Amino acid sequence: MNTIVEDIVEVNGLRLHLIPSKKFKTINFVAKFRSPLTKETITKRALLPYILRQGTKSYPSEQALQLKLDELYGAVLSIDGAKKGNHHIMSVRLEVANQKYIPKESSIIDEAIHLLNEVIFHPHVNGHAFNEEAFQREKATLRQKMNAIIDNKMMYANIRLIDEMCEGEAYELHVHGYEDDLNALTAEELYSYYTNLLAEDTLDFYILGDYDPDIMKEKITAKIGRDQPKQIAGEVEEEIELREEPKVVIETQDVQQAKLHLGYRTNCTYKDDGYFALQVFNGLFGGFPSSKLFINVREKNSLAYYAASRLESHKGLLLVFSGIDGSDYEKAREIIELQMEAMKNGEFTSMELDETKDLVINELLETLDNPQGIIELLYQQVLANNNVTPHHLINNIKQVTKEDVIHIAQNITEDTVYLLTNEGGDVS
């Protein structure tokens, strides 16, 4: 694996991450705005990616903006929001062709930086409000997305699991926001909040590709920047009371396939030394088709249409998803919980451990084959406030022992069981 070189510079009120690499023929710019999760801001932050994609001061419509992107040899702009632990992250990404590979082209990088500056700092506004027509249209789009969640039963069940598991915690907040707050929001209020976001969010700005770092730094600092942000409140360390018995929530709807989702507290996050063993644990438990959940719940006992697990690395959650017949609830839950007990008891072979470590490492190497994947992995260090580079992460996974996995497993506690089943379904 090629070592990733990252030079980090504090400049112009942001943290600039320069990542020169000859591996790709594009230049990738990513701006990541980070703020604590709060009920007051989550709906506004959910709507902003939709609004910002609708145009800038110089390109005041989605069509005009897209035409400019097409002129830049098919540059790709994307904007989205996500929860990571108790943070909300808004990411603005622009991928452009490297002018080194385009004969007689010398200005594409300058134009791309100018456009990105416009998208972020000079959106399409009328006075002190976002353009009203675009605002109302994108409100309707987000409202439609909120209402469509009920039709995606797997997504709905996962949201309900988090609702119940993280009640009273910042992480329970819905990343798409709330319809009542959306309905009350005005174009003026959203623009006022956006100006505060630009001034106050922690901003990390990544540039990855084949370029001269000194020249790129000059180009960026000439165009991208803001006043030094004031110190905003950091992440609040929440006291989480571990349940003596899992909380069980059974909800009924007209569903053809019941959803059984379980939430565990891992008591370990990305910043902790045990995280490497936790990744291997998840691979053995439910992360791959060779895992215990897949083999024992789905294959051997035919109790699930699917059965898998994933980690929320910055919150310390392990989430189990399964689709079952409602009448199989007790048996399916028992077998899922037995797989956890088997992990705590070390019931896996050295060969299974080694194969899983290889799978985890291959997954990471695939991520590192994509420029956005590299940036996302590097950003994990920022969120965790540590220096676990991708190279370090892979080397440490190689060193994980069976004892490490057993130790991490024994610290995992079952917190919440959520079942979405058919009305009148037998769950006894």
Side-chain angles (χ1 to χ4, degrees), residues 303-319:
L303 284 171
Y305 303 100
Y306 61 87
S309 65
R310 73 169 176 83
L311 296 169
E312 206 305 326
S313 301
H314 297 282
K315 177 64 179 170
L317 305 183
L318 172 73
L319 307 175

Side-chain angles (χ1 to χ4, degrees), residues 131-187:
N131 175 265
E132 187 66 30
E133 183 182 348
F135 176 77
Q136 293 299 337
R137 184 174 63 246
E138 296 314 307
K139 269 181 74 170
T141 302
L142 179 56
R143 186 182 297 112
Q144 188 177 21
K145 189 159 190 172
M146 290 176 180
N147 292 331
I149 289 170
I150 189 68
D151 297 322
N152 184 331
K153 298 305 179 186
M154 186 175 180
M155 181 186 293
Y156 174 82
N158 189 44
I159 289 172
R160 289 289 298 117
L161 172 67
I162 298 299
D163 285 344
E164 298 292 342
M165 185 177 183
C166 300
E167 185 178 4
E169 302 169 35
Y171 194 74
E172 77 169 320
L173 294 171
H174 296 179
V175 74
H176 298 306
Y178 297 86
E179 191 168 359
D180 287 347
D181 293 338
L182 182 65
N183 291 338
L185 189 58
T186 67

Side-chain angles (χ1 to χ4, degrees), residues 107-150:
S107 64
I108 184 173
I109 301 303
D110 291 324
E111 289 187 56
I113 293 169
H114 178 79
L115 180 61
L116 191 57
N117 179 60
E118 276 238 351
V119 169
I120 295 172
F121 294 102
H122 303 286
H124 184 201
V125 297
N126 297 325
H128 298 288
F130 284 112
N131 175 265
E132 187 66 30
E133 183 182 348
F135 176 77
Q136 293 299 337
R137 184 174 63 246
E138 296 314 307
K139 269 181 74 170
T141 302
L142 179 56
R143 186 182 297 112
Q144 188 177 21
K145 189 159 190 172
M146 290 176 180
N147 292 331
I149 289 170
I150 189 68

Side-chain angles (χ1 to χ4, degrees), residues 160 248-252 329-330 417-421 425 427-428:
R160 289 289 298 117
V248 178
V249 179
I250 297 174
E251 188 174 337
T252 57
Y329 160 63
E330 292 286 0
V417 176
Y418 173 82
L419 175 69
L420 177 66
T421 191
V427 295
S428 59

Side-chain angles (χ1 to χ4, degrees), residues 141-395:
T141 302
L142 179 56
R143 186 182 297 112
Q144 188 177 21
K145 189 159 190 172
M146 290 176 180
N147 292 331
I149 289 170
I150 189 68
D151 297 322
N152 184 331
K153 298 305 179 186
M154 186 175 180
M155 181 186 293
Y156 174 82
N158 189 44
I159 289 172
R160 289 289 298 117
L161 172 67
I162 298 299
D163 285 344
E164 298 292 342
M165 185 177 183
C166 300
E167 185 178 4
E169 302 169 35
Y171 194 74
E172 77 169 320
L173 294 171
H174 296 179
V175 74
H176 298 306
Y178 297 86
E179 191 168 359
D180 287 347
D181 293 338
L182 182 65
N183 291 338
L185 189 58
T186 67
E188 291 84 1
E189 287 170 338
L190 186 62
Y191 181 64
S192 175
Y193 173 71
Y194 186 57
T195 59
N196 289 337
L197 177 154
L198 290 178
E200 297 176 4
D201 266 34
T202 302
L203 174 54
D204 287 88
F205 196 98
Y206 290 80
I207 310 101
L208 186 150
D210 185 4
Y211 59 80
D212 181 299
D214 292 331
I215 294 174
M216 184 62 77
K217 182 182 171 184
E218 283 181 18
K219 289 179 181 295
I220 293 293
T221 53
K223 284 285 184 183
I224 307 284
R226 59 181 183 169
D227 294 335
Q228 192 64 34
K230 68 181 184 183
Q231 200 69 25
I232 60 171
E235 182 179 358
V236 177
E237 288 292 331
E238 295 172 315
E239 288 291 328
I240 308 297
E241 275 193 43
L242 298 182
R243 304 186 200 278
E244 292 186 12
E245 293 291 332
K247 179 181 183 179
V248 178
V249 179
I250 297 174
E251 188 174 337
T252 57
Q253 286 183 14
D254 184 13
V255 293
Q256 290 185 325
Q257 183 189 103
K259 307 296 179 187
L260 175 58
H261 289 199
L262 283 71
Y264 292 83
R265 304 278 182 177
T266 64
N267 301 297
C268 175
T269 64
Y270 192 93
K271 68 179 184 292
D272 297 318
D273 292 339
Y275 178 73
F276 316 109
L278 181 62
Q279 274 206 307
V280 177
F281 164 90
N282 183 57
L284 284 160
F285 178 64
F288 298 108
S290 57
S291 67
K292 287 189 176 296
L293 289 181
F294 191 92
I295 297 298
N296 293 297
V297 183
R298 184 181 185 277
E299 298 289 301
K300 286 186 179 177
N301 291 282
S302 301
L303 284 171
Y305 303 100
Y306 61 87
S309 65
R310 73 169 176 83
L311 296 169
E312 206 305 326
S313 301
H314 297 282
K315 177 64 179 170
L317 305 183
L318 172 73
L319 307 175
V320 174
F321 313 112
S322 66
I324 64 170
D325 286 327
S327 58
D328 289 332
Y329 160 63
E330 292 286 0
K331 186 110 184 267
R333 178 184 168 185
E334 179 186 7
I335 293 180
I336 289 170
E337 291 171 342
L338 282 173
Q339 305 319 303
M340 178 61 76
E341 286 306 308
M343 291 299 301
K344 291 176 186 284
N345 294 331
E347 294 173 20
F348 52 90
T349 66
S350 297
M351 181 180 291
E352 287 171 331
L353 176 69
D354 290 340
E355 287 175 351
T356 301
K357 284 159 64 171
D358 287 342
L359 287 169
V360 173
I361 289 167
N362 285 338
E363 210 172 55
L364 284 166
L365 291 173
E366 283 180 18
T367 300
L368 294 172
D369 278 337
N370 180 289
Q372 296 296 336
I374 293 172
I375 290 170
E376 290 301 322
L377 267 180
L378 293 174
Y379 191 58
Q380 304 306 313
Q381 299 176 52
V382 174
L383 292 175
N385 194 27
N386 68 7
N387 192 33
V388 181
T389 66
H391 186 72
H392 183 206
L393 184 55
I394 288 171
N395 280 344

Side-chain angles (χ1 to χ4, degrees), residues 25-58:
K25 291 189 174 181
T26 57
I27 305 289
N28 288 263
F29 302 92
V30 180
K32 287 188 168 290
F33 292 87
R34 172 166 52 102
S35 184
L37 279 170
T38 70
K39 177 65 164 60
E40 293 72 32
T41 63
I42 190 67
T43 303
K44 296 170 185 172
R45 296 180 75 94
L47 182 57
L48 278 169
Y50 293 85
I51 299 295
L52 295 176
R53 192 63 179 77
Q54 296 307 302
T56 71
K57 181 179 178 181
S58 301

